[in-house]
Amino acid sequence: MARISIDDDVRRNDAIEKASGLARYASDYFFPDMLYARMLRSKAPRGKIRKIQTPVLPYGYYFISAKDIPENGRNALHMISEDWRCFADGDVRYVGETIGLFVGPERSVLESLERNTYVEIEEEEPAISIDDAINVKGGPILEKDDVFCQLYCQKGRDMDEVFGEADKIIEETFETGFQEHVHLETNGAVITKEGEKYVLYISCQCPFYVRKSISIVIGAKDEDIVVRQSTTGGAFGGKEHFPDVLAGPLLVAEYVIGKPIKLIFDRREDMLYSVKRHPSKIWYKSAIKDGKLTGVKGKIYYNAGAYLSSSYVVLQRGVFHANGVYDIPSTYLEGFGMATNTFPSCAFRGFGAPQTLFAIEMHLTHIARRIGVDPVEFKRSMFLKKGSETVTNGHIVENVVLGSMLDDIATASDYWRKSREYGYGSGRGIGMSFYNHGGAFTGNGEQAIIKAHARLKKTGERVTIEVGSTEMGQGFQTTLRKIAAAVLEIPMENVDYPNPDTSVVPDSGPTAASRSTMIVGRLIERCAVEMKERWGEGDFSVEKEYEHPDGHPWDQSTFRGDAYLGYGWGACCVELEVDKRTNEVKVVGIWSSHDIGKAIDEKIVHGQINGGIIQSLGYASMEKMENKNGHFRQESMSDYVIPTSMDFPKQEYFLEDNPYEWGPFGAKGMGELVFNGADAAYVDALERALGVETFKIPLPSEDIEEALRKNGR
Amino acid sequence: MDEVKCFIPKSLDEALRIRKEFHAKPLAGGSDLMVSYYKGIGIAPVFPFPVMIISNLSDELGTIRKEDDGVHIGALSTPNEIASSMVVPYPVRKAASLMGAPSLRNTATIGGNIGNASPKGDLPQPLILLDAEVVLRSVDGERRMKVDDFILGSKKTALADDEIITGIVIPEVKATHYFYHKIGMRRANAISKLSLSALFDVEDGVVVDFRASSGAAGPKVRRSRDAEEILIGLKLDEVSGKTGEFLSAWNSILSPHAMPEYRRASTRRMLLGFIEEVASGALPGNYE
Ligand SMILES: Cc1cc2nc3c(=O)[nH]c(=O)nc-3n(C[C@H](O)[C@H](O)[C@H](O)COP(=O)(O)OP(=O)(O)OC[C@H]3O[C@@H](n4cnc5c(N)ncnc54)[C@H](O)[C@@H]3O)c2cc1C
């Protein structure tokens, strides 16, 4: 067994286990006397519950609902605030809201109990779309209106003056749709008791979130609940807060019944009754003077659904990324998180940034075309640089190398020639987009909210990583072991990193926000440095607490200062051809360049780039999730389609070496970055091929037909 | 708990007897039946009828061969087998090759595709273009009928409750140019939004035969012999002049309800493209 250095090519530690079927997912856990659970959900988007009539329950079967929450408990899941109820009580606010849980030994019996339960709901008019919510359709969902949260930020001069001086003003509205995570493993959890403690095996990103969120439901202390992450088959943000919605009702059931209980969603349930990416409506008005963009005003609306969950934070990220990667002299950006009666929207790779980044990219592309400049040339002239002021009046603290990233992909793709030759409307198009992603929690969240801890434990020659961060397919167990082993100069095989158990590991914060390598990786690097110095001391542990780098002022009450500790940067180029008979789009080339500081493991990074870009292209092209009267219309993997390996070609990728001062080995966040921009490159290329402008995604063939028809083609 | 009566016959004769006595529904690849009666994880599907698993009968029902009256495709032939058999005419081969993904192409069967009679099913459409017949067997004997007549509508067939589909016969067709195109929501494992087949037989610059059929366009595959007649008999250089007439005749057979604008327009543009290509002297061959 060889010592490892950080640039070695290694095999993922979970590769064989997962490929061979040895890995144990939530549904693989069995306990003696284990019962199963099945949710009874609301079929109406909004209304008063008049009656719930279950069939007579056979012996050994239970129906658990809000009435079973003990007196010292609260009917709330504590995500960021406590608004999402564990069980609907008195009224329902979205289709799919948990009303109760059937529990018992046979799943077929549970299915029939659920099917034969009569829930009488006095329906009220729902608000489904952002426009419905703006118009307060059906009366206010909240106290006085449907605005869950709002914020604004302002940079530069007074906007009236800027628009007054402009010689051209361009105004556009963009819309993006729901997106479903389609993680390989559906949501699932098993709860049991060990002595007085409640123990959950759960597919999740954030074991400590689950614990905090549900303990209040039965009035327990956090320590009374032990969360053990079961090997998790994909997440993409869909398992950041949503597992709480399974765990809360399960905990109440366990409190009442006291036997092991398993709840596994099937694919249809996971599609219809889980969180989605926030649909958005984004309005920009831009001032142009002497061919230069002088100011942008924006109004950003996100559909948050029926409960707030993470939407305020998602909205903040959306607003803070709404200027793209550009230094626009004056901006005034407002964001609104709208309450509706759709399934709550929550975290999804990019966390609010992809929507605004898509909109600003398309807006600038359209402006460039209308003033007769190549969009890439136009955008390059405005790239943020080190020291540039951000929309939150903070500053970019790192070297921005977008220019050379652009050059790399322009050369590889032969962009300049093709851009000229293909023109506009020829059936062929090439497009480019630029994007970034602020690493880790917004503002001073890492310091003020999380205060992450991480621990390394030495036992003989072996070292165990003890963190709350989770592997969910992104490769973090391999990345973190590699960091520890490389610092300690020991073989990777000597480093263990079991799935976290909240009763064993310290809380290192959620596995979200592209923060794991950058923040937790750094903590483990620091632990390892100390452990290496003390290696001869026998068996011991080293634990470190997060230290905030100096020079990042932030005021959370006014949203002013450095919104992020640093950014990952990206540039993507897409080339495609459109079949003019059928509007089928064939992507023929994908080139990208990313600045992620440093790739800890290039194979894993490559996997993230490949997947993130394909996921973004799916978002732009085929992933259509419609909601009618509160019901999602797509309910299976054959009507909600995600790309297969047949849909997009092999990608060419570049990585920029630009070490980040506070990251392990110079690494910064990248998991979300790689999702943030391919959509706009695709639509840019598509618009060029078709010769028309478009204003919404996704754009399947039918919608392309419609766009063409609107333009008289 | 509900019980499902399930038979596993070892021979076609046994299967036919079971079919006669219990009217057990054949289950071939199960890729439609198991999906239709899926109820959830850990819950066995409950069929409200007896079933018989016929996948063991591939010796009798799984061969593809050319005979005097045309190409015989056994009912248990899989899309992969059909796609790789060079005796099968191009549009059927191509359609089979674009079904599902590799695993499905080794599981599904042509008998199931026709027996299921889904408007989205991919094989009936090119089979109907080629005037293929379905062979039906019962203990009392065998009968044949056009696939087009066998499929009565969405999920409805003329299968009698003692019959089994034993195969398909595609009569000898003469064609110089074939066209097949499937539009799904993506490039693999996608249910058809639309599919179209067409063929030309051109001899000495004259259109001896022309056919077109359109799938996923309504409850049934659409063909119009009247519309086809418009082009048959024309010299190639006369075709362009008649294309408009053909397209409007064709358009009138498509149900506007089942055929939203995008599908209607794409069908039209694909037909137009293929016809113009052939009219302008395209080489014989297969077109997409
Ligand atoms: C993931 C997936 C992808 C798919 N993709 C496609 C696709 O791209 N294109 C497409 O057309 N379909 C597709 N399908 C649908 C399905 O696979 C096809 O319709 C297939 O041909 C059905 O064949 P089977 O043998 O599996 O049918 P089964 O499910 O076994 O049977 C279907 C029906 O036919 C009857 N039947 C079967 N065999 C006989 C027989 N010999 N005699 C009388 N009746 C019989 C059965 O009783 C039943 O009613 C897909 C299905 C899945 C699950």
Side-chain angles (χ1 to χ4, degrees):
Chain A
M1 277 188 283
R3 293 194 307 191
I4 181 124
S5 91
I6 202 71
D7 290 320
D8 287 354
D9 184 15
V10 302
R11 179 160 72 199
R12 283 178 64 131
N13 72 299
D14 51 352
I16 290 181
E17 178 184 291
K18 285 179 177 165
S20 64
L22 286 172
R24 264 176 104 199
Y25 295 89
S27 70
D28 299 324
Y29 284 78
F30 291 92
F31 296 94
D33 290 332
M34 188 176 79
L35 304 177
Y36 292 95
R38 187 174 180 102
M39 279 183 172
L40 175 72
R41 302 178 169 99
S42 169
K43 293 193 171 76
R46 187 178 192 177
K48 301 271 178 298
I49 301 178
R50 290 300 175 214
K51 196 181 196 175
I52 302 172
Q53 197 178 326
T54 67
V56 177
L57 297 174
Y59 177 76
Y61 286 82
Y62 304 82
F63 178 66
I64 305 294
S65 65
K67 67 177 186 331
D68 297 296
I69 294 173
E71 239 164 55
N72 60 337
R74 291 204 290 283
N75 186 9
L77 301 167
H78 184 187
M79 293 178 182
I80 292 172
S81 68
E82 284 185 20
D83 71 326
W84 193 328
R85 292 177 298 182
C86 184
F87 293 108
D89 192 13
D91 66 343
V92 291
R93 302 180 192 171
Y94 63 92
V95 172
E97 182 161 17
T98 320
I99 295 175
L101 207 60
F102 286 104
V103 181
E106 283 288 336
R107 290 198 265 200
S108 55
V109 176
L110 297 175
E111 190 272 336
S112 123
L113 287 173
E114 189 234 323
R115 191 161 27 90
N116 294 307
T117 294
Y118 171 66
V119 182
E120 186 184 318
I121 293 177
E122 187 183 318
E123 286 204 40
E124 293 160 348
E125 188 183 34
I128 302 301
S129 64
I130 288 171
D131 286 337
D132 289 352
I134 293 172
N135 299 321
V136 202
K137 190 172 165 195
I141 291 176
L142 307 170
E143 261 167 43
K144 56 179 183 24
D145 57 19
D146 291 352
V147 182
F148 259 136
C149 47
Q150 65 188 89
L151 75 151
Y152 76 95
C153 48
Q154 183 176 11
K155 165 190 166 185
R157 298 165 54 205
D158 177 72
M159 293 309 291
D160 289 339
E161 274 177 36
V162 175
F163 282 109
E165 290 165 10
D167 45 45
K168 204 178 183 86
I169 294 174
I170 294 179
E171 217 179 306
E172 293 183 313
T173 304
F174 297 91
E175 288 178 63
T176 63
F178 284 105
Q179 189 181 22
E180 156 62 27
H181 303 78
V182 205
H183 16 61
L184 264 177
E185 182 207 18
T186 56
N187 280 282
V190 186
I191 194 164
T192 181
K193 272 192 102 171
E194 284 180 12
E196 287 308 300
K197 292 199 193 291
Y198 295 92
V199 178
L200 262 164
Y201 296 87
I202 186 163
S203 179
C204 69
Q205 295 174 230
C206 315
F208 284 93
Y209 269 12
V210 175
R211 190 178 78 160
K212 174 191 85 172
S213 185
I214 64 174
S215 60
I216 58 165
V217 180
I218 59 162
K221 295 197 297 290
D222 280 1
E223 297 72 37
D224 297 336
I225 292 164
V226 177
V227 178
R228 297 187 181 137
Q229 184 222 6
S230 53
T231 295
T232 296
F236 300 124
K239 293 177 184 169
E240 181 169 345
H241 292 289
F242 187 66
D244 308 357
V245 175
L246 285 77
L250 272 177
L251 180 61
V252 178
E254 185 64 24
Y255 175 84
V256 173
I257 301 166
K259 287 186 183 172
I261 306 170
K262 181 191 265 191
L263 173 62
I264 308 286
F265 283 10
D266 70 16
R267 181 60 67 181
R268 180 172 174 276
E269 290 180 288
D270 216 58
M271 284 262 176
L272 289 174
Y273 311 122
S274 72
V275 295
K276 307 278 175 277
R277 184 186 298 286
H278 293 71
S280 75
K281 182 164 183 162
I282 299 163
W283 169 87
Y284 284 119
K285 181 176 166 186
S286 290
I288 293 119
K289 189 170 162 53
D290 304 327
K292 289 207 157 52
L293 184 65
T294 51
V296 173
K297 216 173 149 171
K299 269 195 183 26
I300 295 145
Y301 296 91
Y302 283 0
N303 183 347
Y307 290 116
L308 182 61
S309 62
S310 60
S311 291
Y312 194 21
V313 195
V314 169
L315 179 70
Q316 289 164 28
R317 204 174 258 279
V319 171
F320 301 159
H321 284 78
N323 64 318
V325 296
Y326 308 105
D327 190 358
I328 302 164
S330 298
T331 50
Y332 184 84
L333 302 164
E334 285 176 284
F336 304 88
M338 306 305 292
T340 64
N341 299 106
T342 63
F343 208 103
S345 306
C346 197
F348 196 148
R349 196 179 203 170
F351 207 73
Q355 293 94 322
T356 47
L357 284 170
F358 169 75
I360 193 70
E361 278 301 295
M362 292 319 304
H363 184 50
L364 297 187
T365 299
H366 293 170
I367 293 175
R369 206 168 287 139
R370 291 194 212 170
I371 61 177
V373 189
D374 188 286
V376 173
E377 206 51 82
F378 184 61
K379 290 174 182 177
R380 182 207 280 269
S381 69
M382 297 183 289
F383 282 157
L384 286 163
K385 292 188 273 296
K386 184 174 187 164
S388 297
E389 188 187 346
T390 66
V391 290
T392 54
N393 314 119
H395 293 90
I396 299 290
V397 295
E398 66 226 74
N399 271 327
V400 181
V401 291
L402 276 173
S404 70
M405 291 161 65
L406 185 167
D407 289 338
D408 279 345
I409 60 172
T411 307
S413 63
D414 201 5
Y415 171 83
W416 297 108
R417 178 185 67 79
K418 289 175 180 169
S419 174
R420 261 193 330 274
E421 283 179 13
Y422 297 169
Y424 201 59
S426 70
R428 304 174 86 180
I430 189 163
M432 223 188 256
S433 66
F434 306 95
Y435 44 97
N436 62 0
H437 193 88
F441 261 40
T442 304
N444 58 352
E446 291 292 339
Q447 184 184 27
I449 305 171
I450 307 182
K451 282 196 215 64
H453 283 243
R455 197 190 300 138
L456 271 188
K457 195 169 113 192
K458 179 170 178 290
T459 319
E461 292 301 300
R462 297 198 75 78
V463 173
T464 305
I465 293 172
E466 295 186 337
V467 294
S469 312
T470 52
E471 171 69 54
M472 46 170 142
Q474 86 281 40
F476 192 56
Q477 283 186 337
T478 305
T479 298
L480 205 51
R481 287 165 78 239
K482 199 174 183 188
I483 291 170
V487 175
L488 291 166
E489 295 186 69
I490 60 174
M492 246 176 96
E493 291 80 357
N494 288 9
V495 183
D496 297 312
Y497 175 2
N499 292 341
D501 172 329
T502 56
S503 66
V504 175
V505 302
D507 186 355
S508 29
T511 311
S514 305
R515 61 182 289 280
S516 298
T517 301
M518 177 168 159
I519 304 289
V520 184
R522 172 67 164 180
L523 285 172
I524 285 297
E525 186 186 39
R526 285 170 47 209
C527 291
V529 167
E530 182 181 323
M531 182 169 279
K532 191 172 177 215
E533 278 168 17
R534 298 169 46 197
W535 189 256
E537 285 179 25
D539 293 353
F540 64 98
S541 293
V542 181
E543 184 166 331
K544 295 283 178 195
E545 189 185 63
Y546 175 71
E547 284 170 8
H548 207 61
D550 288 337
H552 287 282
W554 178 251
D555 181 344
Q556 181 66 18
S557 59
T558 57
F559 301 115
R560 289 175 70 116
D562 288 350
Y564 301 101
L565 296 169
Y567 296 82
W569 304 86
C572 182
C573 180
V574 171
E575 182 181 351
L576 52 77
E577 295 164 6
V578 182
D579 184 331
K580 290 206 164 180
R581 301 167 306 169
T582 59
N583 304 326
E584 288 169 290
V585 180
K586 183 175 176 200
V587 172
V588 296
I590 302 170
W591 301 264
S592 71
S593 176
H594 291 96
D595 166 13
I596 59 164
K598 153 98 190 161
I600 298 291
D601 189 79
E602 195 166 328
K603 237 187 227 162
I604 286 177
V605 166
H606 187 196
Q608 290 291 301
I609 294 171
N610 238 323
I613 285 180
I614 297 295
Q615 196 168 33
S616 177
L617 293 174
Y619 180 50
S621 61
M622 65 179 78
E623 294 189 31
K624 191 167 195 171
M625 178 67 79
E626 296 157 297
N627 192 299
K628 206 162 179 205
N629 295 326
H631 297 261
F632 289 120
R633 292 182 66 179
Q634 285 72 17
E635 59 169 39
S636 74
M637 289 177 69
S638 57
D639 51 18
Y640 183 82
V641 294
I642 57 172
T644 69
S645 57
M646 298 286 285
D647 288 284
F648 296 107
K650 196 165 183 281
Q651 304 179 20
E652 195 175 334
Y653 70 100
F654 298 87
L655 287 171
E656 202 57 57
D657 202 30
N658 188 19
Y660 169 69
E661 196 179 334
W662 300 286
F665 292 92
K668 51 190 174 182
M670 66 92 49
E672 294 170 281
L673 170 71
V674 293
F675 178 85
N676 281 4
D679 48 4
Y682 174 87
V683 178
D684 179 13
L686 184 62
E687 290 189 347
R688 298 190 201 202
L690 299 170
V692 301
E693 285 181 347
T694 63
F695 300 92
K696 61 167 194 186
I697 47 170
L699 280 167
S701 309
E702 294 87 338
D703 296 71
I704 294 176
E705 180 94 11
E706 201 182 299
L708 288 167
R709 193 148 5 103
K710 272 190 193 145
N711 285 271
R713 304 289 197 75
Chain B
M1 252 194 68
D2 315 291
E3 293 254 326
V4 180
K5 204 160 180 59
C6 180
F7 303 89
I8 308 181
K10 292 195 185 58
S11 68
L12 179 57
D13 282 344
E14 189 189 345
L16 292 172
R17 283 198 301 277
I18 294 168
R19 181 83 176 131
K20 175 92 178 176
E21 189 174 348
F22 301 98
H23 308 304
K25 220 176 176 39
L27 188 154
S31 62
D32 278 319
L33 271 185
M34 296 302 285
V35 175
S36 310
Y37 289 89
Y38 172 81
K39 269 195 158 172
I41 308 179
I43 308 177
V46 177
F47 298 107
F49 41 73
V51 293
M52 61 174 169
I53 299 172
I54 59 168
S55 47
N56 287 341
L57 309 182
S58 45
D59 282 350
E60 288 168 281
L61 300 179
T63 51
I64 302 175
R65 61 181 184 276
K66 205 169 165 157
E67 289 185 13
D68 291 346
D69 57 347
V71 177
H72 287 233
I73 303 177
L76 289 176
S77 305
T78 64
N80 253 353
E81 289 160 357
I82 296 168
S84 53
S85 167
M86 291 314 282
V87 299
V88 177
Y90 169 78
V92 179
R93 243 190 302 133
K94 187 72 188 174
S97 77
L98 294 175
M99 281 173 69
S103 56
L104 184 98
R105 290 197 289 273
N106 287 320
T107 317
T109 68
I110 188 169
N113 204 248
I114 291 164
N116 195 51
S118 159
K120 310 269 182 203
D122 282 326
L123 296 176
Q125 186 269 100
L127 289 172
I128 287 171
L129 179 92
L130 302 172
D131 291 328
E133 290 183 330
V134 52
V135 184
L136 306 167
R137 177 97 63 91
S138 72
V139 283
D140 302 322
E142 189 177 285
R143 62 175 179 140
R144 288 187 183 195
M145 63 199 298
K146 289 256 172 74
V147 175
D148 204 4
D149 299 327
F150 177 73
I151 297 176
L152 303 171
S154 176
K155 303 248 168 187
K156 287 197 200 72
T157 68
L159 187 75
D161 65 6
D162 62 349
E163 282 178 327
I164 289 176
I165 302 170
T166 55
I168 297 292
V169 180
I170 305 174
E172 174 87 42
V173 186
K174 278 188 65 212
T176 47
H177 301 75
Y178 276 121
F179 178 87
Y180 180 82
H181 198 98
K182 162 176 173 169
I183 304 177
M185 292 166 89
R186 64 181 165 203
R187 283 172 197 280
N189 226 346
I191 291 167
S192 285
K193 286 189 209 176
L194 181 67
S195 74
L196 181 74
S197 291
L199 66 80
F200 267 101
D201 190 38
V202 181
E203 263 175 45
D204 302 329
V206 176
V207 179
V208 180
D209 195 6
F210 169 75
R211 307 180 193 180
S213 73
S214 161
K220 261 179 73 89
V221 171
R222 299 313 307 245
R223 247 189 94 177
S224 163
R225 276 154 236 268
D226 291 343
E228 291 168 3
E229 287 295 337
I230 297 172
L231 300 187
I232 295 174
L234 298 181
K235 293 210 194 71
L236 273 188
D237 55 12
E238 297 165 346
V239 167
S240 285
K242 286 282 200 179
T243 309
E245 191 185 327
F246 163 74
L247 286 175
S248 44
W250 174 268
N251 208 27
S252 67
I253 64 161
L254 300 176
S255 104
H257 175 66
M259 202 66 162
E261 187 55 31
Y262 162 70
R263 300 187 194 183
R264 183 180 288 271
S266 301
T267 306
R268 205 184 153 83
R269 289 186 298 250
M270 283 192 287
L271 274 171
L272 181 65
F274 178 57
I275 293 170
E276 281 183 346
E277 227 168 332
V278 175
S280 60
L283 290 174
N286 302 325
Y287 292 80
E288 283 176 50

